[in-house]
Every structure is written in structure tokens, then in C-alpha cells.
């Protein structure tokens, strides 16, 4: 996954089997470089767990969760073991990204620690094959001004995009030079078929969504959000605003369009 420095990467632990199996517990030994990522927390699934977490261990691996290794343990409800299949995401580990990173599952650590999946029969180990590692890249996307704006009473409404366009990270579009308290529509498009209109050029067309907003008293609007996860690398998304401006003949002006291109790791 691609997550920008300073944002949170979510790494899921998945249990999968092709044959029926009941699970009473598991341990997983995680390994990472603390100069690349920092462990934030572990979020267990909503299955009926009896106990979960980075518990005390004989090798004292979990005494320091900032040193690049840890053992996560989960005990299922004794009266309601975890049944496979279907495949289960049993816990999501959250890491603060400091640099490009690899997060691995180790088969063993110390004298007593190991990655293991335990069945419902005492001593029954059904671990199977460990996968991984998970790679975290830190590429950033681009915002490109492609023009097309039309002048109004405060000049051409100016649209600027900010943020790295990596999933789960902050992103924003900021519009300035609109009339005070102006009504506006934001157009969002995945393709661009430009055409001239109201003194400018519409680039965000055909739009897949349009959103209604109002500028503040200074003629500014800031739309901040968290960039969605799962947008494919190299995806192009056009943004453009249509702004109410009663000083011009058509009563409307256009902002410039900006093209957001998601990062390619």
C-alpha cells in the first residue's frame, strides 16, 4: 500500500484456510524497522474474543513496543471458537509511516515466542504457511493547474489542491477570489472533454458528482477531507467550480480546473 510519511498505514492480519477449522487462539510475531514505521495500536476484529493484545511474554519481547518487534495474542471465546472458512481479518495493526517500510511476520523470536495458530484440541497447532512481508511505499501524487477560469468581480476564482493523494491522508481544495458568500457548485470528473462556457473553459466534464457549497465572507472556500483508500495508482481526477457572480452578464463564473493524479509507487 502507498501511505505518505506522517499518515497511518493499516496492516491486516488474515487467517485463511481451504478446509474447515476451528481456532481457539493465535500468536503473531511482528517485525519492522522503527526508523521506518512506529506501531500505534492493534484493533481486533468484532469476533467474540476472550482476550487480545500485546500481552506479557517470557522473553520480554513486549516490554518495549517501539523497538521493532512485538507478539500479538488473541484468545477466542472458549464457548465460541473462530470458525474458518470464510477467510477472517482478525486484527488490524496501525503504524505511523516515517519512511518506506517492510512489515514482516517472523516464525519465532527469543526462546519461547513463535507465530502459531491453535485449534480447539489442546496442543493442536494448525499454523500453516506465513505470508508477507507487507510493503509500504511513500510516493506522492500531483495537483496540476490546467486553467479555464473566467474573471468575475474579484478576478478569476482560483482553485488550488493540496495533499499527497495517498489513501487515508489529508487532502483539500481551496477556492479564493469568489464574491463574498457566493453560492457554488464543485464538479468532479474522471475524464475531461473540454468545452468553452461563460467566458472560460469547462474541463471537469462529464462530471461524476457535483457538490453544493457557499463561500465565506472573504470569498474563500476550503474543502478538507481524507483521501479515500483504494484509488488505483495514476488515476486522474478533475476538479472545477462554477461560482455565482451577479456582476457578470451570465451571473456565473468558472474557476480554473485542477487535475489530481494519484501517486504511482
Amino acid at each position: 500500500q502507498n501511505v505518505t510519511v506522517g499518515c497511518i498505514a493499516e496492516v491486516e492480519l488474515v487467517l485463511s484456510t481451504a478446509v474447515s477449522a476451528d481456532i481457539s487462539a493465535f500468536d503473531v510475531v511482528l517485525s519492522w524497522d522503527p526508523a521506518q514505521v512506529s506501531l500505534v495500536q492493534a484493533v481486533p476484529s468484532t469476533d467474540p474474543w476472550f482476550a487480545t493484545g500485546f500481552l506479557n511474554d517470557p522473553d520480554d519481547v513486549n516490554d518495549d513496543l517501539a523497538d521493532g518487534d512485538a507478539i500479538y495474542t488473541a484468545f477466542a471465546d472458549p464457548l465460541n471458537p473462530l470458525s474458518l472458512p470464510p477467510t477472517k481479518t482478525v486484527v488490524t495493526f496501525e503504524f505511523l509511516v516515517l519512511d518506506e517500510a517492510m512489515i514482516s511476520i517472523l516464525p519465532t523470536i527469543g526462546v519461547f515466542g513463535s507465530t502459531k495458530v491453535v485449534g480447539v484440541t489442546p496442543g493442536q497447532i494448525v499454523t500453516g504457511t506465513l505470508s508477507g512481508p507487507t510493503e509500504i511505499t511513500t510516493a506522492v501524487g500531483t495537483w496540476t493547474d490546467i486553467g479555464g477560469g473566467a474573471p468575475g468581480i474579484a478576478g478569476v476564482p482560483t482553485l488550488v489542491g493540496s495533499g499527497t493523494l495517498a489513501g487515508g491522508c489529508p487532502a483539500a481544495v481551496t477556492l479564493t477570489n469568489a464574491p463574498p458568500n457566493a453560492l457554488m457548485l464543485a464538479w468532479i470528473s474522471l475524464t475531461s472533454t473540454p468545452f468553452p462556457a461563460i467566458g472560460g473553459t469547462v474541463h471537469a466534464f462529464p462530471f461524476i458528482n457535483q457538490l453544493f457549497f457557499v463561500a465565506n465572507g472573504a470569498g474563500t472556500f476550503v474543502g478538507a477531507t481524507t483521501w479515500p483508500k483504494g484509488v488505483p495508482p495514476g488515476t486522474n481526477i478533475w476538479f472545477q467550480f462554477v461560482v455565482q457572480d451577479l456582476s457578470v452578464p451570465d451571473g456565473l463564473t468558472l474557476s480554473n480546473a485542477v487535475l489530481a493524479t494519484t501517486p504511482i509507487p
Side-chain angles (χ1 to χ4, degrees):
Q1 58 186 299
N2 184 77
V3 180
T4 306
V5 170
C7 294
I8 299 295
E10 296 180 346
V11 180
E12 296 178 344
L13 180 69
V14 177
L15 300 184
S16 176
T17 179
V19 297
S20 297
D22 288 336
I23 307 302
S24 65
F26 68 84
D27 288 331
V28 60
V29 180
L30 295 177
S31 176
W32 67 92
D33 184 339
Q36 297 172 337
V37 290
S38 175
L39 179 64
V40 176
Q41 65 175 341
V43 182
S45 66
T46 57
D47 296 286
W49 301 109
F50 176 72
T52 62
F54 298 102
L55 309 181
N56 293 334
D57 65 282
D59 294 306
D60 298 327
V61 173
N62 287 343
D63 283 1
D64 183 0
L65 297 180
D67 63 355
D69 51 47
I71 304 173
Y72 179 86
T73 300
F75 295 101
D77 182 340
L79 301 179
N80 191 9
L82 186 70
S83 294
L84 303 175
T87 294
K88 290 278 188 177
T89 298
V90 290
V91 59
T92 300
F93 301 105
E94 296 183 357
F95 289 88
L96 176 66
V97 176
L98 309 174
D99 200 348
E100 295 195 345
M102 305 286 275
I103 300 172
S104 303
I105 298 175
L106 300 182
T108 61
I109 191 170
V111 177
F112 301 100
S114 64
T115 295
K116 59 182 178 292
V117 182
V118 183
V120 293
T121 302
Q124 178 192 22
I125 305 299
V126 294
T127 307
T129 303
L130 306 183
S131 68
T134 290
E135 181 180 5
I136 298 172
T137 60
T138 57
V140 298
T142 59
W143 295 87
T144 305
D145 181 354
I146 54 176
I153 192 171
V156 176
T158 301
L159 185 63
V160 176
S162 60
T164 62
L165 303 174
C169 294
V173 291
T174 301
L175 183 79
T176 56
N177 298 342
N181 306 309
L183 307 179
M184 59 186 73
L185 287 174
W187 286 351
I188 305 171
S189 177
L190 294 177
T191 59
S192 180
T193 305
F195 65 91
I198 53 178
T201 301
V202 175
H203 290 279
F205 185 86
F207 54 81
I208 59 168
N209 200 0
Q210 62 176 352
L211 303 172
F212 175 77
F213 298 112
V214 180
N216 64 18
T220 298
F221 169 78
V222 179
T225 186
T226 298
W227 193 257
K229 297 180 181 180
V231 180
T235 298
N236 290 325
I237 304 174
W238 285 259
F239 297 85
Q240 194 166 16
F241 279 61
V242 181
V243 181
Q244 182 188 49
D245 189 331
L246 301 181
S247 72
V248 297
D250 293 312
L252 297 171
T253 58
L254 282 173
S255 77
N256 60 305
V258 293
L259 170 61
T261 303
T262 56
I264 300 176

